[in-house]
Amino acid sequence: MKFSKFIFLLLFLGVFSCKNNSDNSISSNSGEIASQPKLVVGVVVDQMRFDYLNRFKNKYTSNGFLRLINQGYSCNNHHFNFIPTYTGPGHASIFTGATPSVHGIIGNSWYDKEKNATVYCTTDLDYVPVGATTKYGQVSPRNMKVTTLADQNRLFTQMKGKTIGVSIKDRGAVFPSGHTANGAYWFEGLNEGKWMTSTYYMDALPQWVIDFNAPSKIANYVKTWNTLYDINLYGESGPDASDYEQGFKGKLTPEFPYDLNALMEYNGGFDIIKSTPFGNTMITDFAMSAIEAENLGTDDYTDFLTVSYSSTDYIGHNFGVNSVELQDTYLRLDLELERLLNYLDAKVGAGNYTVFLTSDHGAADVPSFLTDIHIPSGYVPQNSFASLYTNLQKKYGVSDLVKKISNNQVFLNQERITALKLDLEAVQKFVVNEIIGYPHIKKAYTATMMQTRYFKEGVEKMLQNGYNQKLSGDVLYTLESGVISYGPKGTTHGSGFNYDTHVPLLFYGNGIQPGKTYERTSVTDISPTISALLGIAFPSGATGAVIEKAIYP
């Protein structure tokens, strides 16, 4: 009898336990919350410096950037850990958890030593454009040699979890969504004004993209750009129409307002959308259309949506980091984030999705502005390497020892060096000793040193993380702080200084523990952290660490 009661008690407890464990969700005022996110949204804001979060904070609403900060986890000392800090390498590193030394995207373009030609990071001649006639649509992620976070999710779910990538730039859509994406879409401007893809992903655009490409719909993004608020309230920026801005062709001064319809013909047709905040609005609209049409976040398998807001980069290059145009862009982007988050709440369900937001690189202040306020800065002279060719000829008696200077790297003619029976390392060292004396060159290193020594920290480590033995050049060099290779107006990026490396990292939503840290984190930590949250394998080349405090144990 006692034994029967014991068995009954065990069965009762087992049923009770199974009943409680069968529903691995918790409820809240906003409805049922999944134990695993139904959708992960990876947001990259192209060229967003970390200080934009604080500089424009008093003008942001409470439901965009500040919602992510106040209700999520903020990494306030987050940096890129490699050089060069460009869009292609940045996006690839965020989603692979690896540096260019591993994933192979060493620039937006680079000199290909085997082809003896400059190649673009996503170009793949095995595929053709879909949805637009541009010759630049021959695209795939093939040059990225490792898996991404989204790839690992696809593998984990037996390809049942979907992945969609969205960006105005092809590289901003292709690399984040990975090798196994269901779709990656980018925008072709010029005379077409269409969202497109390549045959790597599909043979024809889905109907929802065709509908989005309706000329009347795209034309809605070509309108007058004026400031969101009274221009006198933009005290966090310099004056409008400064001497440090490029502006749009067809308009004498870079100042508000901008009539985009009138300026289209002088600025690449529909390409003008890219260089305004309305490009970001279009990205949000397209991303929401993708969620709806692809039924993202509606089943038991985690889906991925990668969204790269590219217009911030075009505007930063054009107007610089201290411009009213840039501030207005971020105030409007704040509203786009609010709109996206509200849509996710309604469509996927509050608590059913996870968002992370970061950037692919920062940007330098306009050097001419810095010079005017007595901060060391400058520009690399166009003919600064002319004497290198002359002195190499004096030393070795030939004029063809350099094949290319690209991405702050010198590519030597190794075949010629071998034929002349010269020592490659000796030639590399000669180049280093020659260029280190040039104006604005800060440091220079040989490829041999990158291959044979291990650097633990500093710019040397960042160069080593960006150095790919198969693809990179024979000599690597860096510029001084505040120095860029660019025109006298507007700005660029690419260095290992804080203005290029220090970017936001915000986690929010399902599985994220609210808080913040000032401990240094790296771009390679993002994918391992999300992988740990999902319980999936890390991307194949990931070298970063899990940011443990950001996720619930």
Side-chain angles (χ1 to χ4, degrees), residues 138 244 334 375 495:
Q138 295 187 273
Y244 311 115
D334 183 57
I375 293 178
S495 81

Side-chain angles (χ1 to χ4, degrees), residues 483-506:
V483 175
I484 61 176
S485 180
Y486 206 67
K489 297 184 179 184
T491 192
T492 191
H493 46 85
S495 81
F497 290 105
N498 286 329
Y499 50 76
D500 280 337
T501 68
H502 191 192
V503 299
L505 175 56
L506 308 174

